[in-house]
Amino acid sequence: MTTPADVAAGGIGDLVRHRSIIVCCGSGGVGKTTTAAVVALEGARLGRKTVVVTIDPAKRLADALGLQGLTDTPSRIDGDWPGELWATMLDTKSTFDALVMKHAGDPEQGERILGNRFYRNISGALSGTQEYMAMEKLYELHDETDFDLVVVDTPPTRHALDFLDAPRRLSRFLDHRLFRLLIAPGRGLAKAVNVAAQTFLRTVSRVVGGEVVEDAVAFFQAFEGMEEGFRQRAARVNELLAADGTGFVLVASPRRDTVDEAHYFADRLHEADISVQGLIVNRVHPAFGLGDRADGPGAITAATAAGTARRAESLADTPIGGLYRNLADFQAVAGREHAHLAGLADTVAPAPVVWVPFLSSDVHDLTGLDEIAAHVFLRAG
Amino acid sequence: MDTEQFFAASRLVIVAGKGGVGKTTVSATLARAAALAGLSTLIVEVEGKSGLAAVFGQGELGYDEVVLAAGGGPDGAADVRARTLTADAALLEYLRDHGLSRVSKRLVSSGALDVVATAAPGIKDILLLGKVKQLVREEVADLIVLDAPAAGHAITFLQSARTLLDTVNVGPINAQARDVLSLLEDHRMCQVVLVTIPEETPVNEAVETAFSLEDRVGIGLGPIVVNGVYPALDGLVADPAAVEAAAASADVSLRAGEAQALADAAAFRLDRAALQAEQVGRLEERLPLPQLRLPFVFTTEIGPHELDELAHAMLAEIGDLAELPL
């Protein structure tokens, strides 16, 4: 297992220093948004012009980052650092709108799509849109602005990595056979199939009402000719994600379910030929009885924990029983966490791994971010 | 209050909460507690791969119902059953029931459901909730526990009926949405149990979600579950000297460094327990809902043994509730 000491020289700090894009991924509730903010702050501290794209920050963190309203343009956060720190919140709809206008043959085509009710539903209802737009935003910030480092948070869903096959998903959607047939009716062989398409649409109309189908058909008609541009763009986004300048950082907590999710994410990335460049584990319980273990869950073995538990049992009714019970409880947790995390660290090896202990309060200001940074960048004394 | 009376308050309980607060554990706990009180229980899962079955020591769930925890035993417990619902399967079933089975396969296999779902947002949710409504109507169990989708999506999910009524104003889906809405608004049939943990951000989010659900969905709220509360423990002292004194009075000799370890662990627990108490108080102040507090389990995964512990803790908490939550 990689220990923090092995990587102290470089670690996550190296990524922040040298990469131009860092993507933070992991399941919901593991502190991903906060971690992304910590990484971005470090970028500014290292003198880089950094922007963090967050998805759904808790209100007080959003306030700390100057993100009061939903805003699509980055706002600058002032502070005492050599670089620059900017933050923006992902606005799925306006990102998609901009993408449509960019690929429209002419402004009228763009407006026609933007005004279509079916299109307006896409940003809210089509699964994977938020994930896809997060990556689109990343590409836009990287490609069209002069930021040195773009840090992006990913949506807290199991589908957070769906953007990896966004081009395929999107073309499947936009090229939908039945709608294509409908748009270009009655050409040669298609004619026979078209009858089936009509039957299908009649059925859909019977279930959801004709108006809904008309909206959809109007959308696909308006979209005609733009698919290729979308596809190419999506392919470029994927190239960027797999490029050397991009680093993926997994964020996890030591509970078994989130560790399982982290394994799943690591596998998905691996399939896409992307390697995990770092692992940050939040909310790690301290391991009491082993000196200062601030640098990671200690090697509390099941035997140590069981020994303490036996002692707690035999002393249960004495004045020191509660103290032993408590120590046994925490050693049991630390031991389990250690076991889960060792496996995860092996999976992502040789990527650096850092543990962030349970903090005494929620993070909602730069001081709090600094406290986490001390652990992530191994400055904790 | 009486536990049977508590679980009889509504046949459908929807469990909702942000990621990381233990929503699935609480769904399992509620179901197991109800079963221990003698009510047959069905857990309905809609997102797949939630780890629900693992809590009961079983493999992955499917669309077909399985028994997760068999009843019987000295207390005369009832069964806990579970199944997963998917929008695709619910749609197939729906179309078949409406005499449209001929095209239904293609609608699902061609991915056209994605297109239709985009045309009428909320349609997948309505298909799922429609199926849940059918289960409630058929009284397939005394209590049905719906493990709702995580986070803000729970509000969208439960709001889908209203959203759809705006988009689809005729036809069977419209009727379905009306039906679902009447179920959600009927506080004797359905209530939401929110789950949170005693930390600042989760508490804030639980309060926001509670008000959104009441205002925007018109749904009834049951008690809120506060998960992961450190149980009280006697004799904790954070000062090594006091630890030495306790050891002396217990006639126990400590090894080198042991007093420090015991004191550090106690300090950590006392510190976190104080922070938790503060957040529990804040939640009480801001949200006038009865609280059911579940103890923090000192492990990294919940299995059948821990589940039973939690279920008994929940039954005790329910016993301590003063009155009907609704």
Side-chain angles (χ1 to χ4, degrees), chain A residues 28-30 56-60 117-119 121-122 124-127 156 158 169 172-173 176-179 196-197 199-200 203-213 215-216 220 254-257 260-261 264 283-286 288-290 308 311 315 318-327 329-333 336-337 340 358-364, chain B residues 18-20 25 47-50 54 94-95 98-100 102-103 106-112 114-124 166-174 197 199-202 204-205 208 230 233-237 243 246-247 249-250 252-255 258 261-269 271-272 275 296-302:
Chain A
V30 297
D56 182 22
K59 200 179 168 303
R60 291 186 65 177
R117 187 159 63 168
F118 181 85
Y119 166 75
N121 293 336
I122 286 183
L126 182 60
S127 68
R158 184 162 297 127
R169 291 169 63 87
R172 170 172 153 156
F173 182 77
H176 207 279
R177 192 161 43 99
L178 294 159
F179 283 91
T199 312
F200 166 76
T203 305
V204 175
S205 300
R206 269 166 70 193
V207 177
V208 298
E211 217 175 307
V212 169
V213 174
D215 283 342
F220 282 97
R255 297 190 57 84
R256 191 191 61 184
D257 45 359
D260 286 350
E261 288 278 296
Y264 169 76
R283 306 173 70 90
V284 177
H285 275 93
F288 300 107
L290 292 162
T308 311
R311 210 157 153 81
L315 294 168
T318 74
I320 203 168
L323 282 161
Y324 270 108
R325 175 78 267 149
N326 184 55
L327 180 62
D329 282 349
F330 281 114
Q331 284 188 343
V333 174
R336 301 294 303 154
E337 289 183 351
H340 295 316
F358 253 107
L359 300 175
S360 53
S361 63
D362 274 24
V363 173
H364 36 64
Chain B
K18 271 249 173 191
T25 303
E47 282 194 312
K49 204 178 174 283
S50 70
Y94 175 89
L95 292 171
H98 287 78
L100 299 167
R102 213 160 50 88
V103 283
R106 192 150 52 94
L107 191 61
V108 172
S109 68
S110 63
D114 264 354
V115 176
V116 177
T118 306
I123 202 161
K124 286 190 177 185
D166 294 339
T167 336
V168 184
N169 28 38
V170 289
I173 287 287
N174 176 281
I197 49 176
E199 291 179 29
E200 186 182 328
T201 303
N204 291 346
E205 281 162 354
E208 269 169 44
Y230 284 114
L233 195 55
D234 287 335
L236 292 186
V237 283
V243 173
S249 71
V252 169
S253 58
L254 298 173
R255 279 164 298 184
E258 210 170 5
L262 289 165
D264 287 349
F268 184 82
R269 171 93 159 239
D271 195 33
R272 290 207 61 82
L275 289 168
F296 181 84
V297 182
F298 286 88
T299 180
T300 50
E301 61 259 306
I302 308 287

Side-chain angles (χ1 to χ4, degrees), chain B residues 77-152:
Chain B
D79 286 350
V80 176
R81 293 170 287 145
R83 64 182 295 180
T84 295
L85 296 183
T86 63
D88 284 355
L91 177 64
L92 280 176
E93 212 174 296
Y94 175 89
L95 292 171
R96 201 183 55 223
D97 294 351
H98 287 78
L100 299 167
S101 50
R102 213 160 50 88
V103 283
S104 63
K105 281 256 158 44
R106 192 150 52 94
L107 191 61
V108 172
S109 68
S110 63
L113 181 56
D114 264 354
V115 176
V116 177
T118 306
I123 202 161
K124 286 190 177 185
D125 296 339
I126 264 323
L127 287 165
L128 291 170
L129 285 168
K131 179 68 193 171
V132 171
K133 181 213 65 195
Q134 187 197 336
L135 297 173
V136 170
R137 185 166 294 164
E138 288 170 359
E139 305 188 356
V140 295
D142 296 330
L143 181 72
I144 296 173
V145 177
L146 173 63
D147 189 355

